[in-house]
Amino acid sequence: MKNNILVPTDLTEAADKAIAQAIILARKMEAGIILVHVLTDRSEPAEVIEMTLNAQGSRTHKKTGIICETRLLRGGLFTAMEKYTKENPPSLMVVGTHGIRGLRQKLLGADILKLVSRVHVPSLVVQKTSPLIEKLSRIVLPAASHSSFHASVDIVARVAEVFHSEVHLYTVEKPGFDWPDQLVRNIQEATRVFNARKIKLKRVNEEQSVYSQGYAKQTLKYARSVHADTICIMAVPSREYHYFAQSDKETILLNEDRISILCAGGGTGKEQ
């Protein structure tokens, strides 16, 4: 894994916000930036896109001093990004989202969720109107029952070490509902990892106060209350909560508070 930050760009304002956020992270992480654009049948001529992309990369380098490379890929967005991140895994992907566009995405789900579930690296999703994060002082990590929850723990730990963040390991307790054994083990292991790496940890368990099918709304409410800079979620649903998890993930990714969201555990697009 190279110490680079990958930024998919469609040359829009949302992508510009992702590039601006990637610059802040690259400085702290001492990383380079790779701008990547996926050419489709509806794209402008490749020569035009390549010239625009290279100019953007050159401006970024001249302005910041950060090494900024560019890549043109061909094919469908999801398959191209999945293949590229598998073969050339960066440290992190920063991607901008426009939100849900049109009837197709309202019915089938936001494209941003499909993307982060397919790529093989952790992702930071920023909205076009999200504030730039200068310091990741507080990270909310909702505990999950995935067998691969360690992917979330790992990226949160890495970011927390760079920014000296406080991690809030968060759960919601529903009356009459027992936690799966895997969830209990994940909480214990996450606690062990953060303590071993001397990361400031706050363990938070709340009784359910926001009555909805999933936990997204209460998680967002808590994140607002502590002025969290980001929330880290698993990119794919667990088997236990699959029936509502997709909707929950979209709610968090496209939250009205414009909180940027860390995603981990992608690369399959399937539940884990």
Side-chain angles (χ1 to χ4, degrees):
M1 180 179 289
K2 295 182 179 180
N3 192 24
N4 284 317
I5 296 175
L6 184 69
V7 186
T9 174
D10 56 1
L11 308 175
T12 63
E13 290 182 15
D16 289 344
K17 176 59 68 71
I19 293 169
Q21 184 62 68
I23 289 170
I24 294 172
L25 295 173
R27 284 174 171 151
K28 293 290 290 185
M29 298 169 66
E30 299 181 348
I33 292 175
I34 300 175
L35 304 181
V36 60
H37 181 87
V38 180
L39 293 167
T40 67
D41 294 337
R42 293 179 292 177
S43 294
E44 293 185 50
E47 297 80 6
V48 175
I49 295 293
E50 185 173 23
M51 185 167 51
T52 303
L53 188 64
N54 287 342
Q56 193 169 44
S58 179
R59 285 196 306 271
T60 300
H61 174 63
K62 288 179 180 178
K63 182 179 178 180
T64 66
I66 297 168
I67 295 173
C68 187
E69 303 175 36
T70 59
R71 299 283 188 276
L72 278 180
L73 307 179
R74 296 180 183 273
L77 172 65
F78 309 119
T79 54
M81 291 303 299
E82 180 180 4
K83 183 175 185 292
Y84 182 85
T85 56
K86 185 176 183 179
E87 295 175 352
N88 309 276
S91 301
L92 179 71
M93 181 176 80
V94 179
V95 58
T97 177
H98 305 275
I100 291 181
R101 285 178 159 183
L103 180 62
R104 181 181 66 84
Q105 288 190 35
K106 287 181 180 178
L107 292 176
L108 300 180
D111 281 348
I112 190 64
L113 180 55
K114 296 177 188 176
L115 178 60
V116 299
S117 71
R118 296 283 290 271
V119 295
H120 290 260
V121 292
S123 309
L124 180 68
V125 177
V126 300
Q127 297 184 40
K128 182 173 67 173
T129 54
S130 294
L132 290 175
I133 308 171
E134 296 289 344
K135 294 181 180 179
L136 283 159
S137 300
R138 294 183 187 85
I139 303 172
V140 173
L141 174 59
S145 60
H146 300 68
S147 59
S148 56
F149 183 64
H150 57 84
S152 282
V153 175
D154 178 64
I155 184 58
V156 168
R158 283 193 279 146
V159 170
E161 286 177 333
V162 171
F163 286 90
H164 307 291
S165 315
E166 178 181 80
V167 176
H168 293 214
L169 184 58
Y170 180 75
T171 47
V172 175
E173 195 161 352
K174 279 190 172 185
F177 182 81
D178 294 328
W179 287 344
D181 291 341
Q182 184 66 54
L183 175 59
V184 175
R185 288 193 294 271
N186 287 348
I187 293 170
Q188 293 171 343
E189 179 61 13
T191 301
R192 185 195 66 77
V193 169
F194 293 134
N195 287 337
R197 295 171 74 162
K198 295 181 170 53
I199 293 167
K200 190 174 182 180
L201 176 65
K202 186 173 183 180
R203 175 70 180 96
V204 181
N205 182 49
E206 293 189 324
E207 291 187 4
Q208 185 181 27
S209 61
V210 178
Y211 291 92
S212 58
Q213 196 172 37
Y215 303 103
K217 292 181 179 178
Q218 186 157 341
T219 300
L220 287 166
K221 180 181 177 182
Y222 176 76
R224 284 195 301 270
S225 72
V226 298
H227 306 288
D229 297 292
T230 190
I231 303 168
C232 183
I233 64 171
M234 293 295 291
V236 293
S238 63
R239 291 185 178 89
E240 287 84 359
Y241 304 117
H242 187 274
Y243 68 99
F244 63 76
Q246 291 295 101
S247 175
D248 251 23
K249 292 181 189 305
E250 285 186 20
T251 298
I252 290 180
L253 281 169
L254 305 174
N255 67 89
E256 295 179 354
D257 300 291
R258 302 172 297 146
I259 300 171
S260 297
I261 306 300
L262 263 175
C263 302
T268 63
K270 300 176 182 178
E271 65 185 57
Q272 297 178 43

